[in-house]
């Protein structure tokens, strides 16, 4: 399947700092990427849809100013958690659609475990 | 928006038995239904998918069925093996514009 790379895999930071997470499609172009948040033993909660060259679409209840998304190219989307606080600690995972391989297939990055002290 | 429900939340089966996981969705516009397997600390992996114009799809020990009228779809795993133990997620998508996931099923296959 298609490869989606996500970095970093783990971040530990102090409260109040900002953290940037990168999501790259390595062997295909992704006009759309999705960002999810996952709590331990819980499902994937869609946070926002990242569209190349335009503003991201956020799900209800997700703060746009808190979770900044930039999709600057067809292979890169970034999620910045601004002024992180302990309640932002979670597993963040991105995904991208590979439209060239059957259209709808969605592939995931390896996730980022964020711990805010 | 779409609402995907998944049952059961946990499932234990003896090795060699079958496992069935069921999902329902609410948005009739959804037309693509993938299933993902997620092992602890790893990324979800696509294991099988089905489009709304198909009622059933099979890939070796894994099969998925879809009932559009009732808005439900199911994952069937036959001859289960210990390595099938993981969390399984169903999802519904409207032409891939957005994907909404079920709450997950933790499957344990007992040797």
């Amino acid at each position: 399947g298609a490869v989606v790379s996500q970095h970093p895999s783990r971040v530990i930071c102090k409260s109040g700092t900002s953290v940037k997470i990168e999501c790259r499609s390595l062997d295909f172009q992704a006009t759309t990427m999705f960002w999810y948040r996952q709590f331990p033993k819980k499902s994937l909660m869609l946070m926002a849809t990242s569209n190349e060259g335009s503003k991201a679409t956020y799900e209800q209840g997700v703060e746009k100013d808190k979770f900044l998304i930039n999709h600057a190219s067809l292979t890169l989307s970034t999620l910045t958690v601004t002024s992180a606080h302990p309640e932002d600690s979670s597993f963040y995972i991105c995904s991208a659609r590979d439209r060239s391989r059957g259209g709808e297939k969605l592939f995931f990055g390896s996730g980022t475990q964020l711990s805010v002290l | 928006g779409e609402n995907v429900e998944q049952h059961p939340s946990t499932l234990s089966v003896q090795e060699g038995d079958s496992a069935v996981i069921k999902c329902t969705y609410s948005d009739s516009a959804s037309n693509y239904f993938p299933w993902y397997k997620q092992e602890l600390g790893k990324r979800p992996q696509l294991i099988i998918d089905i489009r709304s114009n198909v009622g059933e799809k099979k890939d070796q020990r894994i099969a998925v069925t879809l009932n559009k009228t009732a808005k439900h779809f199911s994952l069937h795993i036959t001859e289960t093996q210990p390595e099938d133990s993981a969390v399984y997620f169903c999802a519904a998508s409207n032409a891939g514009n957005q994907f909404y996931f079920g709450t997950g099923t933790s499957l344990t296959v007992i040797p």
Side-chain angles (χ1 to χ4, degrees), chain A residues 36 43-44 106 108, chain B residues 2-8 21-25 32-38 44-50 64-65 71-75 87-93 99-105:
Chain A
Y36 294 86
S43 188
L44 297 150
L106 187 69
F108 285 87
Chain B
E2 176 65 275
N3 181 42
V4 179
E5 295 188 356
Q6 183 171 346
H7 299 280
I21 303 171
K22 298 182 180 182
C23 287
T24 61
Y25 61 100
Y32 174 64
F33 308 92
W35 285 88
Y36 289 84
K37 175 183 180 182
Q38 186 179 27
Q45 297 276 9
L46 178 67
I47 56 172
I48 196 167
D49 56 10
I50 191 167
V64 57
T65 59
K71 294 193 183 71
H72 66 71
F73 56 113
S74 301
L75 177 71
V87 178
Y88 291 80
F89 293 99
C90 63
S93 173
F99 288 76
Y100 293 94
F101 286 81
T103 48
T105 297

Side-chain angles (χ1 to χ4, degrees), chain B:
Chain B
E2 176 65 275
N3 181 42
V4 179
E5 295 188 356
Q6 183 171 346
H7 299 280
S9 57
T10 59
L11 178 61
S12 292
V13 299
Q14 290 291 136
E15 182 177 358
D17 287 351
S18 295
V20 180
I21 303 171
K22 298 182 180 182
C23 287
T24 61
Y25 61 100
S26 61
D27 189 351
S28 57
S30 291
N31 57 11
Y32 174 64
F33 308 92
W35 285 88
Y36 289 84
K37 175 183 180 182
Q38 186 179 27
E39 297 178 6
L40 189 63
K42 296 189 176 181
R43 74 185 79 194
Q45 297 276 9
L46 178 67
I47 56 172
I48 196 167
D49 56 10
I50 191 167
R51 293 181 175 82
S52 58
N53 59 347
V54 176
E56 184 174 355
K57 183 177 178 180
K58 188 175 182 180
D59 182 4
Q60 298 183 330
R61 296 187 296 110
I62 296 173
V64 57
T65 59
L66 170 66
N67 184 325
K68 278 189 63 178
T69 304
K71 294 193 183 71
H72 66 71
F73 56 113
S74 301
L75 177 71
H76 305 252
I77 306 174
T78 59
E79 300 173 28
T80 54
Q81 300 167 3
E83 50 265 38
D84 294 330
S85 296
V87 178
Y88 291 80
F89 293 99
C90 63
S93 173
N94 54 340
N97 292 326
Q98 287 177 324
F99 288 76
Y100 293 94
F101 286 81
T103 48
T105 297
S106 178
L107 173 65
T108 301
V109 179
I110 304 167

Side-chain angles (χ1 to χ4, degrees), chain A residues 21-69:
Chain A
I21 303 169
E22 292 189 348
C23 182
R24 294 180 185 273
S25 56
L26 297 186
D27 55 352
F28 66 100
Q29 293 183 333
T31 54
T32 302
M33 291 185 176
F34 303 94
W35 287 95
Y36 294 86
R37 184 172 180 176
Q38 187 176 34
F39 292 101
K41 299 184 179 180
K42 297 293 184 182
S43 188
L44 297 150
M45 183 189 79
L46 179 64
M47 298 176 63
T49 301
S50 171
N51 302 296
E52 187 270 335
S54 64
K55 292 182 179 180
T57 303
Y58 290 82
E59 293 299 297
Q60 190 172 10
V62 178
E63 299 177 58
K64 300 179 183 181
D65 296 331
K66 177 73 173 177
F67 299 99
L68 299 179
I69 291 173

